């Protein structure tokens, strides 16, 4: 089974909005729903679980009914950190899924993820055991310790900018979180960083510029512009 695990447990403080950003409406639809619909449409995805911000659980189930998201099977609460939310999602899936099931972990606020990216993640996990969606760095990079001055260039050819999905089998998902507990790793940034901290090699799949993370109001405007262009092409 291939399972989408959507991480929607954050408050989105940088958006400076009363409404958590995954629930902000864009063209009359919540951002989270766009993300869930991408996984609902994908023929390889069998089921979806959501890690949800506390107090919004009924809202998510209401979305599932309204938008006919019948692949959404399970929901659990997010934690105080991103890593806690991932662990909560892992614990939820342990009770419903098999060790060999592929878990495709995705940010709720990357609503424009494509079928190609989801499919590439699944294929990479089946071939290599892991998948981390990345895009090559195209900008010049400078290293700075004070964010004011720099005199050092970083070779951009060595840099990959990570996105989600980040995917692995459930057995590996459980293994790395149990090992993190043993080592006292409590607040790593993402699944890919946890894998690397534990000495694992991760396998890169190509992302897309449109698979950006909604962080600021400008990102919402970009999403709206993209959706308008897609509608005009139909």
């Amino acid at each position: 089974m291939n399972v989408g695990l959507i991480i929607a447990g954050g408050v989105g403080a940088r958006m400076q909005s009363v409404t958590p950003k995954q629930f902000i409406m864009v063209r009359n639809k919540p951002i989270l729903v766009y993300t869930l619909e991408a996984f609902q449409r994908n023929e390889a995805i069998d089921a979806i679980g959501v890690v949800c911000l506390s107090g919004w659980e009924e809202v998510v189930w209401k979305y599932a009914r309204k938008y006919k998201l019948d692949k959404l099977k399970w929901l659990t609460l997010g934690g105080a950190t991103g890593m806690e939310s991932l662990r909560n999602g892992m614990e939820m899936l342990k009770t419903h899924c098999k060790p060999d099931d592929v878990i495709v972990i995705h940010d709720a606020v990357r609503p424009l993820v494509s079928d190609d990216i989801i499919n590439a993640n699944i294929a990479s996990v089946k071939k290599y055991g892991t998948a981390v969606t990345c895009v090559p760095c195209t900008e010049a990079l400078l290293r700075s310790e004070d964010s004011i001055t720099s005199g050092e260039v970083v070779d951009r050819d060595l840099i990959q900018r990570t996105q989600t999905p980040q995917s692995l089998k459930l057995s590996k998902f459980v293994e790395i979180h149990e090992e993190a507990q043993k080592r006292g790793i409590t607040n790593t940034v993402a699944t890919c960083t946890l894998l690397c901290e534990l000495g694992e090699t991760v396998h890169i799949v190509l992302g897309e510029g449109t698979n950006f993370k909604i962080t600021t109001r400008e990102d919402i405007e970009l999403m709206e512009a993209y959706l308008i262009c897609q509608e005009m092409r139909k």
Side-chain angles (χ1 to χ4, degrees):
M1 186 162 68
N2 302 316
V3 178
L5 179 63
I6 310 302
I7 308 301
V11 296
R14 281 175 289 182
M15 184 68 73
Q16 297 182 339
S17 168
V18 174
T19 304
K21 61 185 177 180
Q22 60 271 39
F23 297 102
I24 290 174
M25 303 292 284
V26 177
R27 295 184 68 77
N28 299 314
K29 190 187 295 184
I31 289 171
L32 174 60
V33 170
Y34 286 98
T35 305
L36 291 170
E37 285 181 333
F39 282 78
Q40 175 75 29
R41 286 192 303 268
N42 186 280
E43 293 182 0
I45 293 294
D46 301 297
I48 301 170
V50 170
V51 179
C52 181
L53 184 63
S54 180
W56 292 80
E57 306 95 305
E58 286 305 314
V59 173
V60 174
W61 287 121
K62 185 170 156 187
Y63 291 163
R65 293 188 292 271
K66 179 177 179 179
Y67 295 98
K68 298 179 173 56
L69 303 168
D70 58 10
K71 288 185 182 178
L72 177 55
K73 306 297 184 185
W74 318 294
L75 185 148
T76 192
L77 295 181
T81 65
M83 186 172 177
E84 281 187 24
S85 291
L86 285 165
R87 182 174 180 83
N88 290 353
M90 178 271 292
E91 293 289 352
M92 171 182 70
L93 296 181
K94 273 171 61 177
T95 66
H96 300 289
C97 302
K98 296 177 181 178
D100 278 345
D101 288 345
V102 175
I103 311 302
V104 183
I105 304 166
H106 189 63
D107 294 330
V109 289
R110 290 185 189 270
L112 303 179
V113 63
S114 69
D115 269 344
D116 287 344
I117 291 177
I118 294 171
N119 293 339
N121 268 257
I122 294 168
S124 180
V125 172
K126 290 182 176 179
K127 186 172 183 179
Y128 300 111
T130 59
V132 176
T133 309
C134 295
V135 289
C137 183
T138 57
E139 300 90 354
L141 295 174
L142 300 178
R143 184 177 181 276
S144 176
E145 294 188 4
D146 59 9
S147 298
I148 299 172
T149 60
S150 175
E152 182 180 348
V153 176
V154 179
D155 185 354
R156 68 184 181 186
D157 291 338
L158 301 178
I159 303 300
Q160 293 284 330
R161 295 189 293 116
T162 64
Q163 302 180 337
T164 63
Q166 298 179 9
S167 308
L168 69 181
K169 290 186 178 180
L170 179 59
S171 56
K172 177 60 73 173
F173 197 11
V174 173
E175 176 189 322
I176 62 173
H177 278 273
E178 289 180 349
E179 185 63 24
Q181 277 198 317
K182 292 176 186 175
R183 298 195 193 183
I185 300 171
T186 59
N187 197 19
T188 194
V189 176
T191 299
C192 64
T193 57
L194 179 55
L195 283 160
C196 290
E197 286 181 53
L198 295 175
E200 301 276 351
T201 297
V202 298
H203 291 266
I204 292 170
V205 300
L206 185 62
E208 297 167 358
T210 50
N211 185 34
F212 58 86
K213 187 175 183 180
I214 305 294
T215 303
T216 65
R217 286 285 172 187
E218 289 82 2
D219 296 326
I220 290 178
E221 291 172 3
L222 285 171
M223 180 182 173
E224 288 176 331
Y226 175 84
L227 293 172
I228 290 169
C229 288
Q230 292 298 101
E231 289 171 7
M232 290 174 65
R233 289 175 183 173
K234 291 179 181 178

